[in-house]
Amino acid sequence: MTERAQTPIIDCHHHVWAPTAETHPWLAPGANIPFRYGDYSAIKRDYRPEDYDRDASGFDVVGHVTMEGEWDPVDPVGETRWIAEVFARRPDYRAHVARAFLDRGDIGDQLAGHAEFLFVRGIRHKPTSAPSAAAIEIGAPGSLSDPNWQRGYRRLADHGLHFELQAPWWHIDELLELRAAVPETPVVINHMFMPGDRDPATLRGWREAITRAATDTGLTIKISGMGLPSQLWRLDDHRALIDHVLERFGPDRCMVASNFPVDRLTGSFATIIGGYQDALSDLTPAERAAVFHDTAARVYRLNTPLVAEGA
């Protein structure tokens, strides 16, 4: 067995889905939304645990945290009910991040519905994002600084749920102000705070945002989702960014994730997760264990027993 296969991994961010036009409108055959990796037609198909198992063959994936897949907004709890059927067949699938619309009037019912399933640990509702730092409008509807959106966000703590943030790094000021106003709700930053392209000016801004974010101990971050549009995944494109995140956040607040099947658009599981393993090869065994396993186990409370209603 190779050294890579011996590394226990909790994949803390991947999807499972069986899309139809009714459940996942964006994955319907004729759909074509703006997508950060460009053409995404290759993922408009079922992606079930057995598909993941084939992709991850040769790696010691010991636990799974599934991420919401933009289910039909008419029934956001419908996805959690479907995920419960998946979890019932796979005991290694232990936690889920659900979708709830924080700025809707029925947010209380949405959160209560998700909370009936004890495997739901967090909520993701992608906030409205500006196309650049210069275009940020404080209080824009659906944004991190929208008072209506924040009212829903404040209700997460009532159910013991954390928040998963997917937004570009230039929203750092809004994030830190939100954290100061609602410190009781931990936040997991998805996809390295979305660094975007690799030109020097962009990376300077991203590095500053990462440095500022790391000062808030209530934030953790995922090393994931780093692909570039229309390019195959290469560690050389990402190594310096991974190093910066690790230096600022430390292994105990970083966790690796595949973001499959989405990131399969940029490379194989072996290329991407193997690349992360290569990038982290200089860490101590305890530090590697933190990034690949222990941080996710703590953040998603994977040692918490599940009862029948959430199994």
Side-chain angles (χ1 to χ4, degrees):
M1 185 176 289
T2 66
E3 180 180 351
R4 284 181 177 175
Q6 293 172 340
T7 305
I9 298 169
I10 292 173
D11 191 344
C12 62
H13 189 122
H14 75 82
H15 307 276
V16 289
W17 53 45
T20 68
E22 290 73 31
T23 63
H24 294 81
W26 73 286
L27 292 172
N32 187 24
I33 66 169
F35 198 71
R36 62 194 179 100
Y37 290 155
D39 179 14
Y40 67 97
S41 56
I43 62 173
K44 292 181 178 181
R45 61 190 66 178
D46 287 11
Y47 195 75
R48 299 175 183 270
E50 54 268 29
D51 301 305
Y52 179 98
D53 292 343
R54 284 191 291 270
D55 282 335
S57 176
F59 289 81
D60 188 15
V61 181
V62 299
H64 299 260
V65 179
T66 53
M67 174 59 66
E68 61 90 11
E70 301 201 3
W71 188 277
D72 181 3
V74 171
D75 180 24
V77 182
E79 181 176 40
T80 301
R81 291 191 291 268
W82 183 82
I83 289 288
E85 298 175 7
V86 174
F87 279 32
R89 298 188 297 271
R90 288 290 298 259
D92 51 334
Y93 279 61
R94 295 301 310 279
H96 178 63
V97 175
R99 189 189 197 193
F101 294 84
L102 300 179
D103 53 355
R104 277 184 13 188
D106 66 345
I107 183 58
D109 292 338
Q110 293 178 61
L111 295 179
H114 288 308
E116 290 181 6
F117 299 87
L118 297 189
F119 58 72
V120 174
R121 302 291 199 257
I123 293 295
R124 185 169 75 167
H125 179 203
K126 297 175 185 175
T128 300
S129 298
S132 67
I136 291 175
E137 178 186 348
I138 299 302
S143 70
L144 290 172
S145 55
D146 173 13
N148 190 43
W149 190 94
Q150 290 184 356
R151 278 192 288 273
Y153 179 89
R154 290 176 183 275
R155 303 186 70 163
L156 296 177
D158 297 339
H159 299 280
L161 298 170
H162 72 254
F163 182 69
E164 302 257 341
L165 173 65
Q166 182 163 328
W169 57 266
W170 48 80
H171 289 280
I172 179 62
D173 289 337
E174 290 171 284
L175 170 60
L176 294 180
E177 289 174 9
L178 179 65
R179 283 282 304 139
V182 194
E184 63 271 22
T185 300
V187 173
V188 179
I189 298 174
N190 291 184
H191 304 334
M192 301 271 285
F193 220 164
M194 302 185 73
D197 59 43
R198 301 297 190 262
D199 74 82
T202 297
L203 288 182
R204 278 196 300 273
W206 173 81
R207 287 176 185 274
E208 292 171 1
I210 289 293
T211 297
R212 292 180 61 202
T215 63
D216 182 340
T217 58
L219 297 175
T220 51
I221 192 166
K222 292 179 182 177
I223 297 172
S224 63
M226 301 175 64
L228 295 168
S230 304
Q231 295 187 35
L232 293 177
W233 202 98
R234 300 186 316 143
L235 180 55
D236 287 348
D237 293 326
H238 314 304
R239 187 188 295 270
L241 285 69
I242 296 169
D243 289 345
H244 183 67
V245 165
L246 277 168
E247 179 183 341
R248 293 295 185 264
F249 275 83
D252 289 339
R253 290 199 288 148
C254 293
M255 42 193 164
V256 160
S258 72
N259 194 32
F260 264 50
V262 174
D263 272 35
R264 193 167 62 175
L265 294 169
T266 69
S268 68
F269 194 97
T271 295
I272 296 172
I273 298 300
Y276 292 146
Q277 290 179 326
D278 290 342
L280 304 173
S281 61
D282 289 339
L283 297 181
T284 68
E287 290 170 336
R288 284 197 300 275
V291 178
F292 283 102
H293 182 283
D294 297 351
T295 302
R298 184 185 74 248
V299 169
Y300 293 98
R301 295 171 279 144
L302 298 192
N303 293 325
T304 301
L306 303 182
V307 298
E309 63 183 333

